[in-house]
Amino acid sequence: MTYTASVVGGSGFTGGELLRLLDGHPEFEVVQATSRSYERKTVGHQHPNLRGMDLRFSSPEDLESVDALFAATPHGVSMERIDDFSDAADTVVDLSADFRLDTEEQYDEWYDGHACPEYLEKSEYALPELNRENLPGADLVASGGCNATATLLGLKPLFDAGVLAGDEQVVVDVKVGSSEGGAGGGAASSHPERSGIVRPYAPTSHRHEAEIEQFLGLSVSFTVHAVDMVRGASATCHVFPDSPVEKKDMWGAYRDSYGDEPFMRTVAGGGGVYRYPEPKAVAGTNYGEVGFEIDPKNRRLVVFSAIDNMMKGSAGQAVHAANVALGIEETAGLEFQGLHPVGAP
Ligand SMILES: NC(=O)c1ccc[n+]([C@@H]2O[C@H](COP(=O)([O-])OP(=O)(O)OC[C@H]3O[C@@H](n4cnc5c(N)ncnc54)[C@H](OP(=O)(O)O)[C@@H]3O)[C@@H](O)[C@H]2O)c1
């Protein structure tokens, strides 16, 4: 069966990744990509890797009727236009933060409120490793934040295995690439300003803490650094369990949580250069890597997690969730590996 799809915000970074994925997907046909700035230009004009695609940007005001609408627009757009999106499509998959949290109060606390709180209880968080059972048949799917996704994927097995109960101290340090800021990332993302940096850009109170808290029931001490890469999010989680943990139990925990997951890989030690998760190893793919090391002297467990922010952290996660929501083979269109060797992602 073929499902028609549109991408609102198709000229942006995650919009481009959605178009790349959907164009190569065996069961989607892209019928519309919108951009106000590049209306009537080919999608290849903005995304040179997609020059072979026979599609031109159109206005987001004239939405085609489709089976699935992917919204890759800045925070606030989807909540204003959700009625239009829902009229145009049976399934709406939103990549912004507009429908990730459960309650209006959370949006008051972490964002600037919410324009249509009545939709919040209808939306499902997209990350299948967390929320697969709620996705089939969902009308509104909210793709997770990339920093939150990296953190949640790293820590979830510890909750599943009872290593963490929710009252322990957890310190999370995330390093992210410049594409996280989108195509209009501004001065902080311009090449001369960004080159060579390791810059704390959200030392405290990052909004993604809300998603992490919502799913794990754990308040994490969360800091994000902007680093000199284009793609990738790498989370290092310093965990202080109440009782000592052993390596074999940790392997068991990660195997139990992710052994059957099609897009998760556990990488913890071993030989060679790539001994722990690194964004470079998953760049351009929907794979996520997790790993750990135990520091008995300090009663510390260090958990590493790496994703491509524009794939597992947004567009890949969104297509994965759409597959599950629509009853398509879960891995369809996403099973390709990355490149190696490759330059900075
Ligand atoms: N970049 C990441 O790594 C990442 C990861 C996870 C989640 N996200 C989320 O995904 C969303 C898109 O991010 P991005 O990085 O792709 O942003 P981006 O590169 O800045 O692209 C934004 C897109 O939205 C369109 N747009 C802007 N205002 C609009 C409006 N009022 N109505 C309709 N279209 C509008 C833009 O095109 P025109 O202005 O030409 O219409 C552009 O195509 C954001 O909410 C972001 O937080 C991003």
Side-chain angles (χ1 to χ4, degrees), residues 53-168:
M53 249 184 115
D54 183 18
L55 186 68
R56 288 177 184 274
F57 291 117
S58 55
S59 164
E61 298 308 317
D62 303 314
L63 295 174
E64 307 256 353
S65 281
V66 287
D67 295 311
L69 180 152
F70 294 83
T73 46
H75 172 61
V77 175
S78 289
M79 65 169 82
E80 292 291 344
R81 296 217 47 203
I82 188 61
D83 286 332
D84 299 335
F85 293 173
S86 299
D87 285 348
D90 295 331
T91 305
V92 175
V93 183
D94 183 42
L95 275 67
S96 80
D98 290 9
F99 299 101
R100 291 177 195 159
L101 303 180
D102 286 342
T103 65
E104 188 175 10
E105 290 69 36
Q106 285 170 293
Y107 280 92
D108 289 339
E109 182 183 349
W110 291 96
Y111 294 88
D112 309 315
H114 204 284
C116 55
E118 66 276 15
Y119 274 90
L120 294 176
E121 65 181 29
K122 300 179 194 165
S123 74
E124 296 293 347
Y125 200 70
L127 195 61
E129 290 81 2
L130 235 75
N131 200 31
R132 177 178 283 104
E133 63 282 4
N134 294 334
L135 290 171
D139 298 330
L140 175 56
V141 174
S143 192
C146 51
N147 303 322
T149 295
T151 307
L152 287 166
L153 289 173
L155 294 178
K156 179 184 177 285
L158 303 183
F159 281 87
D160 291 348
V163 174
L164 284 179
D167 52 359
E168 297 85 353

Side-chain angles (χ1 to χ4, degrees), residues 15 28 38 51 70 86 103 177 193 195 209 212 321 334:
F28 279 113
Y38 302 102
R51 277 182 183 133
F70 294 83
S86 299
T103 65
E193 301 290 352
S195 184
E209 275 181 36
I212 297 166
L334 294 168

